[in-house]
Amino acid sequence: MSTSSRGAVAFAGLVLATLLGCGAEPPATTPDATETPEPAKTPASFGFGRPADPALVAEADIDVRFDGDGLPTGAGDAATGEALYETRCVACHGAELEGNPALGVRPLVGDIRHAVNNLPFAPPLFAYIRRAMPLDAPGSLGDDEVYALVAFLLERAGVLDLAGQPLDAEALAAVSMPNRETFFITKGVATTVPAAPAP
């Protein structure tokens, strides 16, 4: 074999060895798609905002569950609630709780179509009044005032007869509302039972 032929063979062998990866590092493996990626690390700070003020958090933490969890301390009686109603609520809801059609306000009490009687549980009544009433100054009522208004409304709706006794968190959570059986609980939410189909 000539020198040129031997050179060509040697060169071909070198090329083949290179192509086959002889002596080379193994190729990097592709990550398995089923592998769980490393969770992103949350930075200690995003560079904006400020620490939450505990007083502001407490002020906003006013949710009340249907079973009474979250009701604050305090108490109020129906007589005090009636006086409050006459000064803070009557303009929209009427002297006899009849509502005001001109304002789109429905009656507060009556049969189960009306606001108070329609509720399956009593604690949400407290939560709504404290958060949203009166309309011209929502959130301005103290907890004792809200308990008093709720006591007045429940008595006027025929749900309770407190006989002058104050209403507090324990008593309110224990109230059995007349429309309770038309609702059922699913994942902590009261939902109306669908009407039975006509025969």
Side-chain angles (χ1 to χ4, degrees):
M1 180 180 294
S2 66
T3 303
S4 59
S5 297
R6 286 196 298 271
V9 171
F11 178 74
L14 178 61
V15 171
L16 181 61
T18 301
L19 292 176
L20 293 176
C22 291
E25 292 292 328
T29 57
T30 303
D32 188 347
T34 61
E35 291 181 1
T36 304
E38 286 289 326
K41 294 182 179 179
T42 304
S45 171
F46 290 97
F48 59 88
R50 58 184 173 82
D53 184 340
L56 291 177
V57 173
E59 185 178 328
D61 185 17
I62 60 171
D63 59 303
V64 175
R65 283 175 47 90
F66 65 89
D67 58 2
D69 186 28
L71 283 169
T73 57
D77 60 78
T80 302
E82 183 174 12
L84 278 168
Y85 181 89
E86 291 173 356
T87 59
R88 305 297 300 274
C89 314
V90 73
C92 293
H93 293 284
E96 299 300 322
L97 289 73
E98 74 276 13
N100 189 331
L103 298 176
V105 180
R106 299 176 61 189
L108 280 174
V109 299
D111 60 29
I112 61 171
R113 296 172 299 173
H114 299 136
V116 175
N117 300 79
N118 181 256
L119 295 172
F121 303 97
L125 179 61
F126 179 99
Y128 180 74
I129 292 173
R130 178 171 64 166
R131 181 180 70 250
M133 294 288 125
L135 189 61
D136 62 344
S140 62
L141 296 169
D143 292 338
D144 289 347
E145 292 177 308
V146 179
Y147 275 117
L149 281 168
V150 172
F152 167 66
L153 292 172
L154 291 176
E155 281 206 345
R156 286 295 298 269
V159 175
L160 285 182
D161 181 4
L162 293 166
Q165 295 300 307
L167 181 72
D168 60 12
E170 184 179 359
L172 184 56
V175 171
S176 178
M177 296 298 284
N179 202 27
R180 169 68 186 91
E181 296 307 315
T182 63
F183 286 76
F184 65 95
I185 303 301
T186 172
K187 294 184 179 179
V189 178
T191 308
T192 308
V193 176

